[in-house]
Amino acid sequence: MADSTVKTFGILTSGGDAPGLNAAIRAVCRTAKIRYGMNAIGIRNGYRGLVSGDMFPLLSDDLVGLLSTGGTILGTSRDKPFKNPVPDSATGLLPVEAIKQNYKKWKLDALVCIGGNGTNTTASLLAKEGLNVIGLPKTIDNDIVKTDMTFGFHTALDVATDAIDRLHTTAHSHSRLMVIEVMGHKAGWLGLYSGIAGGGDVILIPEIPYDIRSVAEKIMERRDAGKNFSIIVVAEGAKNKAEAMLTKKELKKARAAMPYSIAYRVAHELETATRLESRVTVLGYLQRGGTPTPYDRILATQYGTAAAHFLSEGDFGKLVAVQNGKIVGVPLEEIAGKVKNIPLDDPMIQTARELGTGLGD
């Protein structure tokens, strides 16, 4: 058994659930125990559990069967201890002070924080507070900077593509416009990839503000060519050109005032512009739930085993990432508060254009 800087570490999952979380938990804990003799402390419900001290020894028997299981055995929450901190009514401690206290109480040498942008931003702040932290990149949006791929993305891509495939048959049978809304609030990776994989005729993503007239023209071109149906894939964060001119605060207010999600607005606008019948399908949480694909199981396992090695070496304050096929450690402060958007010159955008796919611009 190899020597290790860390003897006991805490592990948590935070933010939205994603396929592969349990596989990552399993990989970190098994490798840490088998290779280095470390003990794992499970932290329930993300940073909420770290603040409240809701923790338990995570044993080998707890890891059985996790590789193919969706969700997270640790539970999750979107709590952000650094945002608008309020002292606990019983102890008077601020969240960050409570975290430090529980870190010492449970004799933790380090923390492994598995999550997306928000989770790893908080992890970076905890590192600045003096805690030994390692982050893992999880999100179906694939929008964490400095890593080529996040686990969870490929499973969501499979689900979205399968849905588009199935909706194709109904669209063709009924000569309808089928508007499919996929996740992707700030970045359109899932919309772009599933739209191309599923043969979408129009793909609307946050990076390319759309003009509904351009979308309608694309659909009418198809109708004039004898194709009486169209598939429109819309990322939940897609915005029109007028919305692209708004400030972040103004856009948030405008979206809060909408009585429905973006796909319904697009469908209504297209019915008005084309006089063609439309139907909306919002995939929602279907994209995040269920069994992870083999790709995501492997990627999550690869990240997890690497995290155990980082722990043993005392290589803290890092996000475990993949760059050009190799595992690397990226300083958490370099990814905190940032989003990996699709570059407008990305090869996949060019591929969509060459296929004749409308992007709404």
Side-chain angles (χ1 to χ4, degrees), residues 246-257:
L246 301 176
T247 65
K248 183 178 179 180
K249 185 176 181 180
E250 289 171 337
L251 179 59
K252 186 176 181 180
K253 183 178 179 181
R255 283 299 168 89

Side-chain angles (χ1 to χ4, degrees), residues 57-71:
L58 194 54
L59 307 177
S60 297
D61 288 348
D62 298 319
L63 307 176
V64 176
L66 289 191
L67 184 61
S68 60
T69 304

Side-chain angles (χ1 to χ4, degrees), residues 238-297:
K239 51 186 178 286
N240 61 32
K241 293 191 174 183
E243 289 173 322
M245 303 299 291
L246 301 176
T247 65
K248 183 178 179 180
K249 185 176 181 180
E250 289 171 337
L251 179 59
K252 186 176 181 180
K253 183 178 179 181
R255 283 299 168 89
M258 283 175 55
Y260 35 62
S261 65
I262 185 64
Y264 287 94
R265 189 182 78 184
V266 169
H268 176 71
E269 291 172 335
L270 288 177
E271 276 196 342
T272 301
T274 66
R275 305 287 183 181
L276 296 175
E277 188 179 16
S278 68
R279 290 290 185 273
V280 174
T281 299
V282 179
L283 296 184
Y285 295 114
L286 287 172
Q287 298 157 94
R288 295 208 320 225
T291 302
T293 60
Y295 183 98
D296 274 334
R297 297 182 205 183

Side-chain angles (χ1 to χ4, degrees), residues 185-253:
H185 181 62
K186 296 179 180 178
W189 297 99
L190 185 56
L192 180 62
Y193 276 60
S194 64
I196 291 175
D201 303 300
V202 176
I203 302 170
L204 304 181
I205 57 177
E207 291 85 349
I208 303 178
Y210 71 87
D211 184 335
I212 199 65
R213 292 171 298 182
S214 175
V215 180
E217 286 173 7
K218 177 66 179 178
I219 291 167
M220 297 308 284
E221 286 176 8
R222 286 177 50 78
R223 190 196 66 173
D224 293 342
K227 299 172 183 176
N228 292 324
F229 74 95
S230 291
I231 300 292
I232 300 96
V233 180
V234 183
E236 63 182 334
K239 51 186 178 286
N240 61 32
K241 293 191 174 183
E243 289 173 322
M245 303 299 291
L246 301 176
T247 65
K248 183 178 179 180
K249 185 176 181 180
E250 289 171 337
L251 179 59
K252 186 176 181 180
K253 183 178 179 181

Side-chain angles (χ1 to χ4, degrees), residues 53-218:
D54 190 2
M55 309 180 188
F56 66 101
L58 194 54
L59 307 177
S60 297
D61 288 348
D62 298 319
L63 307 176
V64 176
L66 289 191
L67 184 61
S68 60
T69 304
T72 164
I73 61 165
L74 296 177
T76 187
S77 71
R78 294 189 181 276
D79 287 27
K80 298 178 180 180
F82 287 89
K83 188 174 183 179
N84 303 320
V86 177
D88 182 78
S89 58
T91 65
L93 293 176
L94 288 168
V96 177
E97 294 171 345
I99 286 173
K100 291 180 178 179
Q101 188 176 86
N102 287 322
Y103 187 88
K104 293 179 180 178
K105 177 182 176 181
W106 284 85
K107 296 181 173 57
L108 302 182
D109 300 311
L111 286 172
V112 175
C113 303
I114 310 175
N117 291 310
T119 300
N120 285 293
T121 295
T122 298
S124 176
L125 294 172
L126 289 175
K128 290 181 179 179
E129 290 289 329
L131 275 61
N132 297 327
V133 184
I134 293 171
L136 267 66
K138 168 278 315 175
T139 170
I140 69 167
D141 293 328
N142 193 38
D143 63 351
I144 298 179
V145 300
K146 300 292 182 84
T147 187
D148 296 339
M149 190 63 60
T150 61
F151 69 83
F153 174 72
H154 268 264
T155 303
L157 174 59
D158 277 12
V159 171
T161 302
D162 182 64
I164 296 169
D165 288 346
R166 293 173 184 274
L167 291 169
H168 251 111
T169 58
T170 294
H172 186 271
S173 298
H174 291 271
S175 299
R176 286 175 177 160
L177 307 182
M178 299 298 287
V179 183
I180 303 105
E181 183 178 304
V182 301
M183 287 187 171
H185 181 62
K186 296 179 180 178
W189 297 99
L190 185 56
L192 180 62
Y193 276 60
S194 64
I196 291 175
D201 303 300
V202 176
I203 302 170
L204 304 181
I205 57 177
E207 291 85 349
I208 303 178
Y210 71 87
D211 184 335
I212 199 65
R213 292 171 298 182
S214 175
V215 180
E217 286 173 7
K218 177 66 179 178

